[in-house]
Amino acid sequence: MLEIIFFYLAATIALIATALAMTRANAIHALIYLIVSLLAVAVIFFLIGAPFAAALEIVIYAGAIMVLFVFVIMMLNLGKEGDARERQWMQPRIWAGPVLLSLVLFAELLYMIANIEGSLSHPAVTAKEVGLSLFGPYVLAVEIAAMLLLAGLVGSYHLGRRYLERGE
Amino acid sequence: MDGLNIPLNHILLLSSLLFCIGMLGLMIRRNIIFILMSLEVMLNAAALAFVAAGAYWGQPDGQVVFLLILSVAAAEVAVGLGLVLQVQRRFKSLDMDSANRMRG
Amino acid sequence: MREIIWLVPLIPLLSSLALMLGSASFSRWIIGGLGAGSVGLAALLTLLSGIDFLAQPQPYQTTLWTWMQVANFSASISFYFDGLTLVMMSVITGVGFLIHLFSTEFMQEDASYARYFAYLNMFVAAMLILVMADNLLLLYLGWEGVGVCSYLLVGFWYQNSANGQAARKAFVVTRIGDTAMALGLFLLFTSLGTLDIQQMVVEANNLWLVGDMLPVVACLLLLGGAVGKSAQLPLHTWLPDAMAGPTPVSALIHAATMVTAGVYLIARTHGLFLLAPSAMMVVAVLGIATSLMAAFTALMQSDIKRILAYSTISQIGYMFLALGVGAWTAGIFHLMTHAFFKALLFLGSGAIIHCLHHEHNIFKMGGLRSKMPVTFWSFMIGSAALAALPFTAGFFSKDQILLQAYQLPEYGIWLWLAGLLGALLTAIYSFRLVFVVFYGKANTQPDKEVGWRMAMPLSALCLLSLIGGYFIIPVQDVFPEALHGHPAHWVEYISISVPLIGVAVAYLLFYSKRLNINPLVQSAVGSKLGEFWRIGWAVDRLYDGLFVRPYYAVSALLKSESVDGFYALVVSVNQCVNRWLSQSQNGQMRWYLVSMVAGLILLLTLALQISPEAS
């Protein structure tokens, strides 16, 4: 029973944190909320029997990727006037349409998942199983992911290098 | 974790909600940093759905796909943040709408 | 010696290539020597292989190489040598050599001396390939080759746009016939499975019976090609205009050789025509109709070359008549004698034009008898042969044709009568030419006399026109036996006397002027009829109204691209939609995102609608 309570608690935290993250004017604040949200999702992963995924979520998502954001925000040196501008941009006039669209999409998704029955009752899927699966039937996907990461590496190196050269 | 009875559709509901919030953020924000964050939220929501489905069937495939999404997110953030730096340098602003030179 | 016949077309071809490529560095003597000498050498080789053939009259076939081979179709570059080929080769190389020799002096002053001989040699090569070809495909190659050379030579003086017009007309009109011939070739190949002429005739006799539909269609299509090339009704209109070319060209191509290619084609495929009696009937009727029409037209012409052009059309009509009535040997014999005397007449007219400052109008000539004796005697002998006066070359061949036409059952007598009328007209117009040009008052003074290079060919052709009738052409193995039996003597007497009457009429009309037909000519009907004949029975005008003007009208209609209007509509709709859509391409990233989300929702909605398990 405790797990179920934990799940709903974590879900609530995730939703609220995400919603706050999306509406903050200050980027660092938003980022902190986002990390909270990711950590909550990691808890959910752990609860539904995916401890490996939960660990990765914390280490890579909340750790590495978000730290990358932090670095960039620090490099950009946004400051107070940036916050004011953000607030000014967030008018209800801009809100209305996207909110409507999102609601429609959510309604459709709700309609789709409404009839799904069943609950999670299997034992946890261990990291070993994931690893066997990764380097077994999914080895081609691993190769493709490797290439994608290489492309990201080259791309970001290229973009960043030119920034430095011209910036000096 | 036997006997844990979290309904699958509740997790999926959470996933959809996160996705919609991320999408909403994507549409309403003008700051590129926030747009990238929204993308992260959306990717994360999709990953949650995958992991939940994998757990429902007791198969590792869901987590494999989560790993792939993770690598996509990492690559995307690396390139995206590089672009953010470029946009800031060129337009002296992170406003998405200032980078609208590519019009038809 | 007959093993070397492949050299005969090769030598003029090589000479032509040499003249095309190296003409800049050649002197006029080398060009003339190469042009005439190569054909002379070909004539010599033909003579040698002819002597060999006459000693041992067996057909000879030689395959040089395989041209193309696709599935069960194969064509080879191979030559077939028999009596008919020998006759044609002799005419082409022999008369061709004399004309080349004549040209060396005639074209002396021309700037494009080398180009002229390059074309002329190429023509001889193509014509030789045409007559030596073993299969119809190679024949067609030569057939188109001579067409191209004819085009190039008619438009030789291309600086004058009228000449280019005439060349185009010749090319386009013959192309109509050539298309029919190509269709005939396809038909023959699909139904007989071969294009080899000898094999084809054997196959046709196995497969078809006399009077079947297929051989008639095939023969009529081949006839279409022959009609175009030989300037018969209804495709004859190009030949008078083709006189725009240099006169030796008219002599070689448009009198002696190329225009008789149609006659050769029909004679070569006579095995097929024998299976289609109705097609042969068409050949005979077309021939005699063309002959009469052209003869009437020739009566009214004043341009010396146009008279000869119409007379050529008329004489080829006689050859077609001969082929149509099954007098194959007589037709080919007339082809040969006609080549002699018509080449002579054309060269003679060339000499006159050469010496009279390019004057073409016969009424501006006159009294040339004493000033140009060689030309006068050439013309005299040539006209006598053309009019078929007794003991000239034309007499023997034309007499044979008329007698064999007479012997045809049922309608033979009518063909004979029409032929007689044609012979009468021929005598009148040919001696009209002689009397007007060489007698009477001198209107123009010649500024030079013919040199030996002109006189020699004229004399040689005079001799041939006189004794050509005594030749026996070695085609008895090629053609089936002609109709035997002899018609009544009175038929022969009439046939002999008609040309004499014609000459007498011409004498009274144009020399002594005793017979006065002026009132008749000047009457309303007479002048209209004369004008009608003068413009060639208004065929040109008819075609102009029937084909050329409608074509121009259609093209004028299409010039404004009215058909493209529909496509322009598509374009403008696209542009309109593009303008409309490009407004959505405003560079606003969030706008794009919103559209993407809207699209996503749309697709999702559709997916929900479609997939039954989702609901």
Side-chain angles (χ1 to χ4, degrees), chain A residues 94 101 104 108 111-112 115, chain C residues 590 594 601 604-605 608 615:
Chain A
I94 304 169
L101 275 175
V104 171
E108 283 193 342
Y111 174 71
M112 281 168 77
N115 294 335
Chain C
R590 286 179 308 132
V594 169
I601 291 171
L604 210 56
T605 316
L608 285 178
S615 56

Side-chain angles (χ1 to χ4, degrees), chain A residues 75 159-168, chain B residues 85-86 89-90 92:
Chain A
M75 281 169 81
L159 288 167
R161 191 181 60 117
R162 288 183 58 190
Y163 168 73
L164 286 174
E165 274 172 7
R166 301 245 181 118
E168 277 166 7
Chain B
L85 295 176
Q86 284 286 343
R89 189 182 68 83
R90 294 239 171 131
K92 305 294 172 218

Side-chain angles (χ1 to χ4, degrees), chain C residues 340-362:
Chain C
F340 295 154
F341 63 71
K342 193 49 68 66
L344 174 62
L345 283 171
F346 263 114
L347 292 187
S349 75
I352 295 171
I353 292 165
H354 184 66
C355 297
L356 284 186
H357 331 286
H358 297 278
E359 181 56 63
H360 279 216
N361 191 335
I362 57 169

Side-chain angles (χ1 to χ4, degrees), chain B residues 11 13 15 19 22 26-27 29 33 35 37 40 43 45 52 57 59-60 62-63 65 72 79 97 100-101:
Chain B
I11 303 179
L13 182 67
S15 162
F19 187 84
L26 191 68
M27 284 188 287
R29 300 306 293 243
I33 296 274
I35 285 175
M37 279 188 211
E40 292 306 310
L43 280 170
W57 296 109
Q59 296 294 325
Q63 293 187 51
V65 177
V72 169
V79 176
D97 293 357
N100 64 352
R101 287 194 192 160

Side-chain angles (χ1 to χ4, degrees), chain A residues 43-112:
Chain A
V43 168
I44 293 170
F45 280 170
F46 190 76
L47 288 174
I48 63 176
F52 181 57
L56 284 179
E57 177 93 356
I58 294 170
V59 172
I60 294 177
Y61 246 128
I65 296 178
M66 290 305 129
V67 166
L68 211 58
F69 270 99
V70 171
F71 273 124
V72 170
I73 292 166
M74 280 159 64
M75 281 169 81
L76 292 174
N77 195 15
L78 289 170
K80 285 271 187 291
E81 66 273 27
D83 291 4
R85 200 176 53 219
E86 284 292 328
R87 279 196 200 89
Q88 187 201 331
W89 282 346
M90 276 198 280
Q91 302 288 328
R93 192 166 51 82
I94 304 169
W95 277 79
V99 166
L100 188 70
L101 275 175
S102 296
L103 282 177
V104 171
L105 184 65
F106 179 66
E108 283 193 342
L109 288 173
L110 203 61
Y111 174 71
M112 281 168 77

